[in-house]
C-alpha cells in the first residue's frame, strides 16, 4: 500500500480523473472531499464490506431453511 | 428471437431447470462479493409459490442462489434514494421499468431470525433485464430488517 502524508487542504490525484482533498483534520476524524467521474462509485469502506459479507451469508441459504420457514409461516397464519 | 433460446442447468438446490434466455437478468458487475457471476434467473420455491420469497439463482454458478423478496411487502414505505447515475447505468428512464429486490439472509438453524437487506437493494430494469446491487450510503434502511417480527423464537 502506498502511504502518503498530507496536510489539511492538500490533495491526492489518482489517475487522470480522481482527486481527493483533505478538508479538515480534527482529533481522530478526517473530512475528505472526493472528485470522481460519475461512473466511479465511492463508498465508505465499512458499508461496502458489510453488504458484501451479508451477501456471502445470504448465499448459504438452503431449500431446507426455506422449508422450515414455511412451517413457521403457516403456524403463524 | 425472444424465448427461442433455452438452456438446461443442473442446480444443487433445484436439480435440473429449464431456462429461457429472455428471463435472465444480467448483472454486468455481479453482486457484491460475487463479481464474476453475471447472470441470474428468478425462480419460485418448488411447492410453495404463494410465499413471498423467491430464489435468485445464478446461471454461471449452479451452486449459488439467494433467497429474495419484494421489500415493499414488508416495508411499504421503503423508498431508497437511488443515484441518477445508477439509474442511467441500468438505462432506467421510466419509474415502471424499475424493479427492486431485497436479498434475504436466513441464519443457520434460526429461520425465524431471517432478515432482508434494505441497505444493499438490487435494482432491475424490468424492460431490459439489467440488474445492479446498490450501496446506500445512508443508514436510514437497515442491513438486517427482520421479516418475521412477531413469531416467537422456537425453543428446542
Amino acid at each position: 500500500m502506498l502511504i502518503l502524508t498530507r496536510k489539511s487542504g492538500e490533495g491526492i490525484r489518482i489517475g487522470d480523473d480522481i482527486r481527493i482533498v483533505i478538508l479538515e483534520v480534527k482529533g481522530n476524524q478526517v473530512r475528505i472531499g472526493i472528485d470522481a467521474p460519475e461512473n466511479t462509485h465511492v463508498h465508505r469502506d465499512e458499508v461496502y464490506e458489510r453488504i458484501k459479507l451479508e451477501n456471502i451469508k445470504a448465499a448459504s441459504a438452503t431449500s431446507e431453511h426455506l422449508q422450515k420457514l414455511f412451517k413457521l409461516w403457516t403456524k403463524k397464519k | 428471437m425472444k424465448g427461442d433460446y433455452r438452456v438446461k442447468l443442473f442446480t444443487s438446490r433445484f436439480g435440473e431447470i429449464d431456462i429461457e434466455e429472455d428471463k435472465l437478468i444480467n448483472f454486468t458487475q455481479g453482486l457484491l462479493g460475487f463479481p464474476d457471476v453475471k447472470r441470474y434467473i428468478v425462480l419460485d420455491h418448488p411447492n410453495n409459490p404463494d410465499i413471498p420469497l423467491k430464489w435468485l439463482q445464478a446461471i454461471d454458478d449452479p451452486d449459488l442462489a439467494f433467497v429474495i423478496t419484494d421489500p415493499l411487502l414488508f416495508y411499504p414505505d421503503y423508498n431508497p434514494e437511488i443515484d441518477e447515475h445508477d439509474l442511467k447505468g441500468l438505462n432506467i428512464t421510466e419509474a415502471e421499468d424499475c424493479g427492486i429486490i431485497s436479498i434475504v439472509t436466513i441464519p443457520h438453524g434460526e429461520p425465524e431470525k431471517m432478515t432482508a437487506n434494505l441497505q444493499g437493494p438490487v435494482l432491475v430494469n424490468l424492460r431490459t433485464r439489467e440488474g445492479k446491487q446498490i450501496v446506500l450510503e445512508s443508514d436510514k434502511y437497515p442491513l438486517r430488517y427482520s421479516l418475521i417480527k412477531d413469531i416467537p423464537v422456537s425453543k428446542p
Side-chain angles (χ1 to χ4, degrees), chain B residues 84-129:
Chain B
E84 191 88 14
H85 64 258
D86 281 328
L87 294 174
K88 242 192 250 167
L90 289 173
N91 296 308
I92 293 174
T93 47
E94 310 289 330
E96 62 259 36
D97 290 343
C98 184
I100 195 155
I101 294 170
S102 288
I103 297 178
V104 174
T105 306
I106 306 175
H108 284 264
E110 297 179 305
E112 67 283 351
K113 288 189 182 162
M114 76 163 174
T115 55
N117 181 350
L118 300 186
Q119 201 179 15
V122 174
L123 234 57
V124 177
N125 182 333
L126 301 171
R127 194 167 40 84
T128 63
R129 307 197 71 78

Side-chain angles (χ1 to χ4, degrees), chain A residues 48-60, chain B residues 32 34 66 103-107 115-118 133 143-145:
Chain A
Y48 188 93
E49 240 358 80
R50 255 199 326 248
I51 294 175
K52 184 172 136 186
L53 289 176
E54 195 65 11
N55 276 355
I56 291 167
K57 203 174 155 202
S60 67
Chain B
L32 267 63
F34 303 90
F66 299 90
I103 297 178
V104 174
T105 306
I106 306 175
T115 55
N117 181 350
L118 300 186
Q133 189 169 26
L143 178 76
R144 295 189 184 129
Y145 181 75

Side-chain angles (χ1 to χ4, degrees), chain B:
Chain B
M1 296 293 279
K2 274 202 159 192
D4 282 1
Y5 178 63
R6 277 169 178 270
V7 202
K8 275 197 195 306
L9 180 73
F10 197 84
T11 67
S12 52
R13 289 177 182 79
F14 313 107
E16 191 177 83
I17 54 167
D18 256 338
I19 299 154
E20 292 167 49
E21 202 193 16
D22 59 0
K23 296 268 164 66
L24 296 181
I25 305 174
N26 286 296
F27 292 82
T28 49
Q29 295 163 43
L31 298 173
L32 267 63
F34 303 90
D36 300 326
V37 185
K38 316 276 193 196
R39 297 184 302 161
Y40 288 84
I41 190 161
V42 175
L43 301 173
D44 285 331
H45 188 70
N47 313 323
N48 282 292
D50 302 336
I51 295 277
L53 299 174
K54 292 181 188 290
W55 289 91
L56 188 65
Q57 168 70 51
I59 304 298
D60 307 312
D61 178 353
D63 294 334
L64 181 63
F66 299 90
V67 177
I68 54 168
T69 193
D70 173 356
L72 295 169
L73 292 174
F74 297 91
Y75 198 130
D77 294 335
Y78 187 55
N79 184 22
E81 215 173 286
I82 309 294
D83 256 32
E84 191 88 14
H85 64 258
D86 281 328
L87 294 174
K88 242 192 250 167
L90 289 173
N91 296 308
I92 293 174
T93 47
E94 310 289 330
E96 62 259 36
D97 290 343
C98 184
I100 195 155
I101 294 170
S102 288
I103 297 178
V104 174
T105 306
I106 306 175
H108 284 264
E110 297 179 305
E112 67 283 351
K113 288 189 182 162
M114 76 163 174
T115 55
N117 181 350
L118 300 186
Q119 201 179 15
V122 174
L123 234 57
V124 177
N125 182 333
L126 301 171
R127 194 167 40 84
T128 63
R129 307 197 71 78
E130 301 163 271
K132 185 183 181 188
Q133 189 169 26
I134 306 295
V135 175
L136 299 177
E137 275 305 308
S138 113
D139 292 324
K140 185 175 172 193
Y141 297 113
L143 178 76
R144 295 189 184 129
Y145 181 75
S146 172
L147 295 183
I148 315 187
K149 287 203 161 75
D150 41 4
I151 288 189
V153 175
S154 57
K155 296 200 172 70

Side-chain angles (χ1 to χ4, degrees), chain A residues 25-60:
Chain A
V25 183
K26 212 161 131 190
N28 66 352
Q29 279 201 323
V30 182
R31 288 183 70 224
I32 296 171
I34 300 155
D35 272 327
E38 267 196 354
N39 56 359
T40 303
H41 288 264
V42 179
H43 301 295
R44 282 179 294 155
D45 195 30
E46 69 275 16
V47 175
Y48 188 93
E49 240 358 80
R50 255 199 326 248
I51 294 175
K52 184 172 136 186
L53 289 176
E54 195 65 11
N55 276 355
I56 291 167
K57 203 174 155 202
S60 67

Side-chain angles (χ1 to χ4, degrees), chain A residues 3-76:
Chain A
I3 299 171
L4 302 168
T5 303
R6 304 275 62 198
K7 289 189 186 115
S8 177
E10 293 180 338
I12 298 165
R13 282 262 176 190
I14 301 174
D16 288 333
D17 43 18
I18 298 177
R19 181 168 162 258
I20 296 172
V21 180
I22 309 302
L23 298 174
E24 191 186 5
V25 183
K26 212 161 131 190
N28 66 352
Q29 279 201 323
V30 182
R31 288 183 70 224
I32 296 171
I34 300 155
D35 272 327
E38 267 196 354
N39 56 359
T40 303
H41 288 264
V42 179
H43 301 295
R44 282 179 294 155
D45 195 30
E46 69 275 16
V47 175
Y48 188 93
E49 240 358 80
R50 255 199 326 248
I51 294 175
K52 184 172 136 186
L53 289 176
E54 195 65 11
N55 276 355
I56 291 167
K57 203 174 155 202
S60 67
T62 64
S63 304
E64 291 74 52
H65 285 142
L66 223 54
Q67 218 58 53
K68 271 187 207 159
L69 261 178
F70 292 138
K71 278 190 199 140
L72 283 175
W73 225 303
T74 340
K75 241 192 267 171
K76 191 187 164 194

